Amino acid sequence: MSMIIERLTVIGVGLIGGSFARALREAGAVGTIVGVDTDRDNLNQALSLGVVDEITPDAARGVRDAQVVFVSVPVCSIPMVVREIAPFLPRGCIVSDGGSVKSAVVRECEALMPPGCTFVGGHPIAGTEHSGAAAAFAALFTGKRCILTPTPATDAGAYDTMARLWRSAGANVCSMEPGHHDRIFAEISHLPHVVAYALVHAVGTADVEGENVLSYSAGGFRDFTRIASSDPVMWRDITLMNRAALLTSIDGFSASLAELRRRIDRSDPAALAEFFTIAKQFRDGIL
Amino acid sequence: MSMIIERLTVIGVGLIGGSFARALREAGAVGTIVGVDTDRDNLNQALSLGVVDEITPDAARGVRDAQVVFVSVPVCSIPMVVREIAPFLPRGCIVSDGGSVKSAVVRECEALMPPGCTFVGGHPIAGTEHSGAAAAFAALFTGKRCILTPTPATDAGAYDTMARLWRSAGANVCSMEPGHHDRIFAEISHLPHVVAYALVHAVGTADVEGENVLSYSAGGFRDFTRIASSDPVMWRDITLMNRAALLTSIDGFSASLAELRRRIDRSDPAALAEFFTIAKQFRDGIL
Ligand SMILES: NC(=O)c1ccc[n+]([C@@H]2O[C@H](COP(=O)([O-])OP(=O)(O)OC[C@H]3O[C@@H](n4cnc5c(N)ncnc54)[C@H](OP(=O)(O)O)[C@@H]3O)[C@@H](O)[C@H]2O)c1
Ligand SMILES: NC(=O)c1ccc[n+]([C@@H]2O[C@H](COP(=O)([O-])OP(=O)(O)OC[C@H]3O[C@@H](n4cnc5c(N)ncnc54)[C@H](OP(=O)(O)O)[C@@H]3O)[C@@H](O)[C@H]2O)c1
């Protein structure tokens, strides 16, 4: 594949930023990649692992001459980082992100863009429960979706460059209104994480005659709760930034659980089988 | 390994019963295995796949000359099956089961035993979301726990035979009071299934501007909800039979979820990070 941009700066060279860098490098889509990170150990590791070509702890320095700046820090920090770099962005620079929440991030970051620069919100639908540059790998986005969330303020050329970069990183690009994105992902991603954390919390603190209930966990429980091993800071930020949509999703889930609880309480075999069958059909439908 | 019993009858030659048969055969722990099942296709398949040596749809006939009868049908049907076979059990016969709920099953089945026969409750902590004889495999129980739930009425020799059979099937045998078993598994197994079914139900019925939210599911959602693909009849029976303990577990989970919801509602970063960190520590502790 041919080069799309000469110089990329990745701020937050963790799982997502590092994998984006690795994938673009492997595709030959970028020339030089500069890494910026507040975690010095992680930053040094990103350099020594060859994830990036140059490093600096100073974001303002790091964005010098960049054509694209990709911000992949926890979502609450994205607007802070963009505020910090805004005065130093070269003319024509595209700023984009990989944050899991879009509405608040896009609104704040767009407002921070200096004239001639454009913000393009993005969210790759790929990840693992690991973090840091060492967890990054080029194939993370292969065949996965990347959702870009342009607004009427988004420059068409900038959108196009980000779409080409994501495609060369292996992703299938689609576009969505930021608020719509947040309502969808409140349901399909943020709610399941909240439920998994709450479940592990409940089972971990349950008192069954003083026994450690978790020692009886089998494969089902382990798979079911794997996402509760995700980074607490990342999920603190996601729940804070997508609060309204997430509260709605939690309430919808609580209503489903309350309905199922009622059917158990009533000892109603037909109503229970019906509920489980409907859920199984939804689940089997996504295989 | 040497033979432990000459003749075993498996009633319900599905995932659990079929795997028990395959594992004992592979270990050389049984002579002849007779299969009984209400599902004729499944029964024929069990024979043609070599899971069992003989088949009959008639449970009363099937238990003739059996030293051990292993009942592995959905839990609500276990007492029904035992009531049906009780008059035909040969003297000295051991009846055991693999049901996921123990208290009600053990109480009812013990009361049904004719003089000279003993019931030994059991629950192998292994499984998949598949069912039927075709899903059975000999290694299912290897290295997994099997919990036996003897009571003061349990004959020591019968308990010992069942423990030896499970050990030769590859399982680590432990023993537990039936009610204690049910409270533990309400937390670690039955609650997660109920939560997974409720979650898939909620997300599947969520209306986000008419979009099919499930089409945005990624690996995390698929892993998290795999157990919602389990057999609805099996889970109908488990929730009916472990109703009281399960309702308590659901209420404990709802309290954890409500606490997390409050922290999200308050937009309290420190309280959110704390909750996620505690849950992550529980989860990482079971790796
Ligand atoms: N992981 C996933 O599954 C996934 C999937 C899709 C999208 N995302 C999104 O991608 C973003 C990054 O997630 P990730 O999993 O890649 O996280 P990660 O592996 O922890 O990497 C983030 C890196 O950014 C650094 N950082 C934090 N604040 C910073 C700042 N102000 N300036 C510079 N560097 C900073 C972090 O250092 P410290 O450790 O010192 O904070 C860390 O090294 C998040 O917005 C997340 O919502 C994640
Ligand atoms: N699957 C697991 O993960 C797991 C783990 C541990 C314990 N268990 C327990 O093991 C037992 C069996 O589960 P499984 O997964 O092996 O189920 P399965 O694969 O569906 O097998 C059960 C078989 O029993 C048959 N059956 C139902 N009622 C019967 C009756 N009255 N007489 C004779 N056969 C009958 C079923 O036929 P039909 O299809 O016609 O009903 C089916 O072929 C359950 O009590 C379950 O709680 C399951």
Side-chain angles (χ1 to χ4, degrees), chain B residues 235-256:
Chain B
W235 284 96
R236 176 199 68 191
D237 278 20
I238 290 174
T239 53
L240 287 169
M241 291 290 258
N242 203 18
R243 179 177 165 280
L246 183 51
L247 290 175
T248 301
S249 297
I250 292 173
D251 294 341
F253 166 75
S254 294
S256 282

Side-chain angles (χ1 to χ4, degrees), chain A residues 145 180 183 209 211 215 222-226 229 243 251 256 261 265 267 280 283-284, chain B residues 145 180 183 201 209 211 215 222-226 229 243 251 256 261 265 267 280 283-284:
Chain A
R145 249 193 263 224
H180 186 64
R183 287 185 291 278
E209 290 109 36
E211 270 236 63
S215 71
R222 270 194 289 273
D223 285 356
F224 184 61
T225 59
R226 185 178 56 83
S229 278
R243 179 175 165 281
D251 293 342
S256 282
R261 189 195 186 287
D265 196 27
S267 289
K280 179 175 164 59
R283 177 55 181 72
D284 290 345
Chain B
R145 248 193 265 226
H180 185 64
R183 287 185 291 277
H201 187 275
E209 289 108 38
E211 272 236 62
S215 71
R222 270 195 289 271
D223 286 356
F224 186 61
T225 58
R226 185 178 56 84
S229 277
R243 179 177 165 280
D251 294 341
S256 282
R261 189 195 186 287
D265 197 26
S267 289
K280 178 175 165 58
R283 177 58 182 69
D284 290 347

Side-chain angles (χ1 to χ4, degrees), chain B residues 199-210:
Chain B
L199 181 81
V200 174
H201 187 275
V203 176
T205 57
D207 183 17
V208 180
E209 289 108 38

Side-chain angles (χ1 to χ4, degrees), chain B residues 11-18 36-39 42 59 71-75 77-78 80-81 84 97-101 123-133 231 233-234 238:
Chain B
I11 305 184
V13 195
L15 174 70
I16 298 298
V36 180
D37 206 295
T38 45
D39 180 335
N42 186 55
V71 186
S72 46
V73 301
V75 280
S77 301
I78 296 172
M80 287 165 42
V81 166
E84 189 186 338
D97 78 316
S100 308
V101 180
H123 176 207
I125 313 308
T128 73
E129 72 277 28
H130 305 295
S131 40
D231 181 35
V233 169
M234 176 171 148
I238 290 174

